[in-house]
Amino acid sequence: MDKRPERRAASKGRGANRARNARRTRLAAVALLTALAVTSCTGGVRGTPGSSGSRDALFPKLGNDGYDVQHYSLDLDYDPATGRLKAGATIVARATKDLSAFDLDFAGMDVEKATVDAEPAAVNRAGDELTLRPHKDLPRGKTFTAYVRYSGSPKTITDLDGSEEGWLKSPGGGVLALGEPTGSMAWFPSNNHPSDKATYDIKVTVPDGLQAVSNGELASTTHNKGRSTFSWRVKEPMATYLATVAIGPYEIDDKGMTKSGIPIYNAVDPGVKEQTADVVAQIPDIMAWEEHNFGPYPFSSTGVIVAPEKASGYALETQNRPVIPLDHFDLSTLVHELAHQWFGDSVTPDSWSGMWLNEGFAQYSEWLWSEDHDGPTAQQHFDEEYAKGDGDEIWAFPPAAPPTAAEVSGRPVYVRGAMVVHKIRQAVGDEKFYTLVQDWVRTHRHGNASTEEFTRFMDAGAGKKLSAVWDTWLYGDGKPDSPNSP
């Protein structure tokens, strides 16, 4: 019997085995390389994208999930002749979960470059959302640095209530950058929600002859080739909506001091200086009165930016120095906006539904100022408001429950919010009222708080439940049956 075919068959079987073994080896090698590549790319972390939007009841698309900003460093170069802004934003943040990507709120302008921890990051734009995908996934607890370089003509944003914010141009090459509630995203990418506060460095370069005023303290001014650079530093945490830049031929007075030793930095448009000088001069007295009532001033400088007429359609409590255009400038408004430094700027609501905590107290500060300076008492102001008919807009909705984003700055938030504060004062008496107010702003200094935290705090401090105040004036629908309710 010839066995050569059997040997050939045996030889063929060994060759097939060798081929299968080689294929398995190659597949294993590919799998190992893939695993090493994934590990190299992610550092062993398998993150998920942070969601866009903070799920705020009124502004669900504002803010983002997955990280907490610690610091913003903004480098802005503005050319009034063209209206273009060249800028870079450096954002230091801490991941609050394992992240493969995260969102920033940013409206308009072109993104030219983005990095995370100095490595190129993939960029995606969808509406007002800017998504960055870092080269390596970010583990929970890691502090990381994102950088975005961008340019273009910043936009003006029209709110649902018809007011304008964002980047507002004014005569003479001037600009006001205002951000409540959404406008900050028109000029820098951010986690644009009041619950995420951070410190800031804001550097602004403009043509010589213009001033660039911002929040905090002026750290330096330099001049180079016909352009001036103003570097501002905000050492206390600040919500994005409180950031501002005012560009224009402002006259600066930085020599003043409050009676408690806080530096005053005022910037006044030269065209309105004469009409506003008497009121601006009262800032030391206003600050002394507010410190007496509300406790120590929570920031390291104060002052005001007095803008030209119609530079904006409203005054705004930007941190350290409010912005007030001429057509909104008077003593009561200045008292109101400076009171916000305690109520809104230092103690900031954790959601936009808590806006009454800002505006109710600031409105009530106007009533208290009037009472203490030979005007109508707070009770008389309260009675005047209560006398308005059932159909008046102040009864349209409860101050703690604006029904839509369009009503976030509605009259119930201000006026009926102040009436809530007055009812607390009536319920606990003057001595305890001022003690509780000062305890509240001290306890939540530079932080965030909710309406629920406020009511619990007041109940505990009062030593009794103030349920009737909350049920009738804070959350109740329509006009209460009696001004003496509860």
Side-chain angles (χ1 to χ4, degrees), residues 265 419 438:
Y265 187 105
M419 297 173 89
Q438 293 191 23

Side-chain angles (χ1 to χ4, degrees), residues 27 53 78 120 133 185 206 214 259 305 334 373 416:
L27 290 173
Y78 182 63
R133 184 174 294 275
M185 65 183 180
V206 294
S214 189
K259 296 175 182 179
I305 299 169
L334 185 56
H373 293 82
R416 193 164 162 189

Side-chain angles (χ1 to χ4, degrees), residues 116-127:
V116 177
D117 290 336
E119 294 282 350
V123 175
N124 185 63
R125 297 293 297 271

Side-chain angles (χ1 to χ4, degrees), residues 39 54 67 72 76 103 155 234 320 332 368 385-386 404 435 473:
T39 301
S54 62
Y67 63 96
Y72 293 96
L76 313 174
D103 279 33
K155 64 191 296 186
V234 183
N320 300 97
S332 291
L368 290 176
E385 298 297 342
Y386 182 81
T404 71
T435 297
W473 295 94

Side-chain angles (χ1 to χ4, degrees), residues 38-93:
V38 170
T39 301
S40 173
C41 185
T42 67
V45 175
R46 292 184 179 274
T48 57
S51 63
S52 62
S54 62
R55 298 179 179 86
D56 187 278
L58 297 178
F59 294 91
K61 294 183 179 180
L62 288 185
N64 301 284
D65 174 52
Y67 63 96
D68 176 28
V69 179
Q70 313 293 307
H71 184 76
Y72 293 96
S73 183
L74 308 178
D75 189 349
L76 313 174
D77 190 318
Y78 182 63
D79 182 359
T82 63
R84 289 184 61 81
L85 178 71
K86 296 187 295 183
T90 301
I91 303 166
V92 179

Side-chain angles (χ1 to χ4, degrees), residues 196-210:
D196 193 2
K197 300 168 73 170
T199 56
Y200 286 70
D201 284 294
I202 302 174
K203 184 166 69 173
V204 189
T205 300
V206 294
D208 284 348
L210 296 178

Side-chain angles (χ1 to χ4, degrees), residues 279 282 286 329-336 366 369:
V279 174
Q282 295 187 58
I286 297 170
F329 190 87
D330 58 31
L331 180 58
S332 291
T333 301
L334 185 56
V335 168
H336 179 114
E366 294 187 54
W369 175 271

